Amino acid sequence: DQYWTIDTNTSGIVFRMKANTSIYFHHDSGNNFLRTCSVTEWSAVHNDAGSTIVASTDEDVLIALYNELNSVTFADGVGNYHCTSGTAEDASATITSAGTALANHQTSSYSTLYASLLEIKANIALNTPAAGFYRIQGNTSGKYLAAGLASNNKFAMTDATDATTVFYYDGTKLTNLSSGMCNGVNASDWAWVVGESASEVTFHDGHTSCGYGIQTATAYFYDNGDNSSSADRGTGVDMSSGDKRYRSWSLTEITTLPIRMNEVDSKYYGTINLPVAVTIPEGVYAYKAAVAGDVMTLTKVVENGVLAANTPVVLYSASEVTSLAISAEAGTGADDDAFSGTTAAIAAPAGTNYVLSYNSTEGVGFYKYTGTVIPGFKAYFNDPSGSSVKGFSFSMEDVETAIRAIESENNDLEIYDIAGRRVPQAQKGLYIVNGKKVMFK
């Protein structure tokens, strides 16, 4: 990748090379250097044993440029290219023509095709990532950018393919799926921060094979590629040259999101608030909440269907759930939902906050949260007036009984109102169904 202008009148030129490497000379039109020069000495004195000098023809240069552009995919999505001038169809046709000319050794068209391919190369660029979930891989180390910091207090990188290496890009910042924390703000700060302190991220064409440069504030990420498994940051980066560790990041779009559910007595509980619609599989229930005083009522939103984006819900399942598929459908949302949710972690809002947790005495429920940061991608309940209620416990079995009672319309169910009178059918309110307290909405 180095170029020299050589005076044909020079009587002697010395190149010092590493072992087993080659120098390629290409003679442009009008330059008779390769026709007149000769190699008078080629020794191993300077560790150049096994090296060669190769004269490159017009065909060799055209082949190299053709191979580079023929590997380009003009399509939507990360890792693919678009044309900044002209159309992708015209570019593809020209590249195909170059391949045909090379295959048939049509030397008379080489110069024109070479100029056309150079123009195409100057007018294509990697697609800018759309909002979505991605894994970000450094091509130097082969590791993925991850949540948290490495032992050297720089951004962690790992081989893992779980939620710690999944990031949501909303067009301005990167938010880790497992922690809800965002990228830091300046060249000397490697911290993952709450959303309000995030730095804007810009993706650049790194001019490597499908590689990106990632700029944040005044710095660029680069892959250390060493045993520290970390990503560093630097400034003054040129995307068309320089250290490829800055400009060889690969992005992979994630279409199935890993999630975490907590197991209690062989039942699984969790909360989500996702910026995309997801498919809730069979056997998994998503609930919104209503709160009146010290009573929290859960109402099913989706079972075996699509949950709309930005819908904070409780998930419940009798079997383990490890992932949710992103859906192209709009899905079902939840009006009048008492739950709140945030994509990126935020500072805990004023008032009293409740998050899903487990109390050994009361069981699963929403209990007072004393932390200063509300996690991202989760549902929580906030009482801005500062409630004195310690928590809201619930039995999912009661909720499921209510669902089955409503949907089955089974007249054999024993339903009693709170006065102890048996009723043929439950209306709105609190009832005793087959010996269990159930809130109907």
Side-chain angles (χ1 to χ4, degrees), residues 31 42 72 109 133 164 198 232 253 266 271 331 377 392:
N31 187 333
W42 192 250
V72 167
S109 62
F133 287 91
T164 65
D232 213 328
E253 188 174 4
S266 299
T271 71
F377 305 107
F392 305 89

Side-chain angles (χ1 to χ4, degrees), residues 178-246:
S178 65
S179 68
M181 304 299 279
C182 302
N183 54 278
V185 293
N186 57 57
S188 60
D189 181 6
W190 289 270
W192 294 104
V193 299
V194 296
E196 296 95 328
S197 303
S199 171
E200 183 172 351
V201 170
T202 305
F203 287 91
H204 300 277
D205 186 345
H207 298 285
T208 56
S209 179
C210 303
Y212 290 90
I214 307 174
Q215 184 182 11
T216 173
T218 57
Y220 288 82
F221 289 12
Y222 77 83
D223 177 8
N224 273 325
D226 55 23
N227 293 328
S228 67
S229 295
S230 65
D232 213 328
R233 305 173 94 171
T235 58
V237 179
D238 186 345
M239 284 291 107
S240 61
S241 63
D243 195 334
K244 288 187 177 180
R245 294 180 301 172
Y246 284 102

